[in-house]
Amino acid sequence: MANGETYFHPNLIPTHKRLPVVFTHGQGVWLFDEANRRYLDMLAGIAVDTLGHADPRLVAAISDQASRMIHVSNGFHIPVQEQLAERLTRLSGMDKAFFCNSGAEANEAAIKLARLYGHRKGVDCPTIVVMDKAFHGRTLATLWAGGNTKIQTGFGPPVDGFVRIPFGNVSALEQALGRDPTIVAVFMEPIQGEGGLNLLDPAVLDQIAEVTRLHGALLMLDEVQTGVARTGRAFAFQHSSIKPDVMTLAKGLGGGVPIGACVVSGAAADVFGIGSHGSTYGGNPLVCAAANAVLAAVEADDLPTRARDVGDHIVSLLRARLAIPGVREVRGRGLMIGIELDRPCGDIVGLALEAGLLLSVTAERVVRIVPPLTISTGEAEHGVEILIQVVTEFLRRRP
Ligand SMILES: Cc1ncc(COP(=O)(O)O)c(C=O)c1O
C-alpha cells in the first residue's frame, strides 16, 4: 500500500485521513511496514508510545495481567488500580485519582468536577476560564472548552459555561476573574500541543496559579499531552513551583493502552463522591497494569532526564541547521518539539514518510516531533538529519 493514493475503507466512517502505509510491527523507536521497510517513529502515536514499541516490560505486564483477569468493573476493589493511584499521587504530590479511558474523558471529568465545586459554593451557573487555541478533546464539552472554531463548526449549539482569554495572559485572567463572580476554575494546557506547540514561561504559570488561588477558583491543567515525563519532568507543571488542583492525563500514561486519569488535590480532592461520576472500563486491571509498567520504567530509566537531555540536543541541532528563510522558530521543552514555518506545511508529513520518518504537523504551520522517551541520542540525530533534509526540500519546492 506504500505510496498509494489516499484510500478509505468502505466500511469505516472516514473521520481520519490516513497515510498510505500499513505497519506490521515495531521495535523500540522503529516501525516496520508490510515490505519490512523501517521508519523512525518521531510521532509515537501522537505522544502516546512513551516506551516505544514492544518494550518487554510493558509487553510482560499486559500479557501477564491479560492471562489472569482483564476486567471486573469498579464495583470491586482493584489493587492494581490502587497501586497506580499511589504512584501518580506520589509522583505529582497530589491526593487522589479517577480513571477513565481517554484524554477527552479525563477533561470531561475535570469540567464536571469544576461545575460541582461551583454549585457547592452556591454558584448556580458556574463558568470556567479557557484559553485561545486550546485543545481538550472532541466530546461536546471538551470541544467547546477548546479554541479551534474549525472543529466546532456544525456541532452547535455550543456548550455554555466557558469564558475565553488569550493563552497565558495573566492580566486578561485578572480582568475576567474580577468581572465575573461565577468563575470557578481556570482550565488550560501548560504547553499547547494541538494549538501549535505554544510554550508558556513556567513563571507565568506561577502567576496564573496565584491569581486563580486568590479568586478561590480551581487551577485545572490538561496534561494529556505534556504529562508522564514528556517535557523533561514527570508533569509539566513541575517546571513551575505550583501544584494544580486538578490535572488530567491520558496519552503517554498507558504507553499505547487507552487510559485517562483525572488527578485531584487540595480543594478539589473531595468534590466527587459516590455516584457523582463513573466509568465502566475506567481503570480496569489490564490498563492499570500497563500504566504501572510505564510509570515504573519512567522512574527506572529516569526518562524525565533523558527527555530533557535528548530534547535539548534535538532543539540545538535544529536551531543551528534550520536558521534558514522559511523557518520562523524552533521551540520545545523536553521531547515536545515544534518547528514553525512561515507557510502551511501539511505536505511535510508525506515527504517525511517517504524518507522513513514519522512526524505530524499541527496548527497548519508547525512540524511537531514527539518521539518515544526511550529514544537514544544516536537515533535522535538520525531523525534530525532526515528532518532537516525534508524541511529544506519542502521549502525549496514550495517557495
Ligand atoms: C492537550 C490534550 N487534551 C486532550 C486531548 C484529547 O485526548 P483524546 O484524544 O485521548 O480524547 C488531546 C489529544 O490530542 C490533547 O492533546
Side-chain angles (χ1 to χ4, degrees):
M1 173 179 282
N3 301 326
E5 295 285 295
T6 300
Y7 159 79
F8 294 101
H9 190 280
N11 302 119
L12 284 174
I13 297 178
T15 47
H16 295 78
K17 194 170 168 203
R18 297 169 195 272
L19 289 163
V21 62
V22 174
F23 297 119
T24 54
H25 63 287
Q27 188 61 56
V29 296
W30 299 95
L31 277 169
F32 296 82
D33 72 10
E34 292 163 307
N36 213 30
R37 181 177 179 213
R38 68 175 197 168
Y39 300 77
L40 181 57
D41 186 1
M42 290 187 110
L43 178 60
I46 324 185
V48 166
D49 303 315
T50 306
L51 308 181
H53 302 282
D55 182 280
R57 296 162 293 187
L58 181 55
V59 172
I62 292 170
S63 47
D64 174 59
Q65 185 61 53
S67 71
R68 286 180 297 116
M69 179 176 67
I70 292 176
H71 179 82
V72 290
S73 98
N74 284 305
F76 303 93
H77 290 283
I78 302 174
V80 67
Q81 187 188 93
E82 292 164 2
Q83 209 178 60
L84 179 60
E86 284 164 19
R87 269 209 166 89
L88 282 176
T89 53
R90 174 172 57 75
L91 286 170
S92 64
M94 298 175 72
D95 295 335
K96 296 176 187 175
F98 169 86
F99 293 107
C100 51
N101 312 292
S102 67
E105 268 186 73
N107 289 336
E108 283 280 339
I111 292 164
K112 281 181 70 181
L113 186 144
R115 287 185 170 198
L116 192 54
Y117 171 77
H119 284 283
R120 296 249 173 91
K121 289 210 307 182
V123 180
D124 287 340
C125 275
T127 303
I128 299 171
V129 176
V130 291
M131 305 284 154
D132 279 342
K133 298 188 186 165
F135 183 80
H136 297 298
R138 298 276 198 152
T139 60
L140 272 180
T142 58
L143 194 60
W144 262 276
N148 183 346
T149 50
K150 250 205 248 147
I151 64 172
Q152 292 166 342
T153 303
F155 297 105
V159 173
D160 271 349
F162 298 110
V163 53
R164 194 170 307 282
I165 63 168
F167 179 55
N169 187 323
V170 182
S171 51
L173 176 61
E174 277 176 318
Q175 277 170 30
L177 290 168
R179 200 168 47 223
D180 187 347
T182 69
I183 291 173
V184 294
V186 176
F187 184 36
M188 61 184 287
E189 298 148 273
I191 298 172
Q192 292 184 328
E194 305 308 301
L197 232 298
N198 305 317
L199 301 183
L200 188 69
D201 181 343
V204 172
L205 191 57
D206 285 336
Q207 291 169 30
I208 288 174
E210 179 61 6
V211 169
T212 305
R213 191 186 60 80
L214 286 175
H215 183 82
L218 301 176
L219 178 63
M220 311 203 299
L221 295 183
D222 177 344
E223 292 235 22
V224 166
Q225 193 160 152
T226 55
V228 192
R230 167 79 31 210
T231 70
R233 302 251 191 238
F235 307 105
F237 77 80
Q238 292 166 335
H239 292 284
S240 305
S241 43
I242 60 140
K243 186 164 66 178
D245 301 293
V246 177
M247 168 177 70
T248 55
L249 299 171
K251 288 194 181 278
L253 179 58
V257 168
I259 180 170
C262 179
V263 187
V264 294
S265 75
D270 298 313
V271 176
F272 278 160
I274 300 283
S276 43
H277 199 47
S279 170
T280 298
Y281 292 120
N284 84 9
L286 184 73
V287 296
C288 288
N292 274 318
V294 169
L295 292 181
V298 162
E299 290 196 274
D301 294 358
D302 192 7
L303 293 185
T305 302
R306 185 191 289 238
R308 195 162 57 238
D309 292 349
V310 179
D312 285 353
H313 186 52
I314 292 174
V315 167
S316 66
L317 289 174
L318 289 175
R319 282 194 180 141
R321 304 269 306 278
L322 285 179
I324 54 175
V327 177
R328 280 216 176 119
E329 190 182 32
V330 175
R331 54 180 179 259
R333 198 161 292 146
L335 284 169
M336 191 168 172
I337 297 166
I339 306 165
E340 182 175 339
L341 304 190
D342 65 358
R343 64 202 78 174
C345 61
D347 292 351
I348 278 188
V349 175
L351 292 175
L353 182 75
E354 281 169 25
L357 179 69
L358 306 183
L359 45 72
S360 70
V361 165
T362 167
E364 281 189 351
R365 289 161 196 249
V366 182
V367 179
R368 169 176 53 179
I369 53 175
V370 281
L373 306 187
T374 48
I375 192 168
S376 69
T377 305
E379 289 161 340
E381 287 173 350
H382 179 75
V384 165
E385 283 307 319
I386 304 177
L387 188 54
I388 288 165
Q389 281 169 25
V390 167
V391 170
T392 314
E393 176 64 11
F394 170 81
L395 290 171
R396 197 180 57 74
R397 278 205 226 164
R398 304 275 159 82

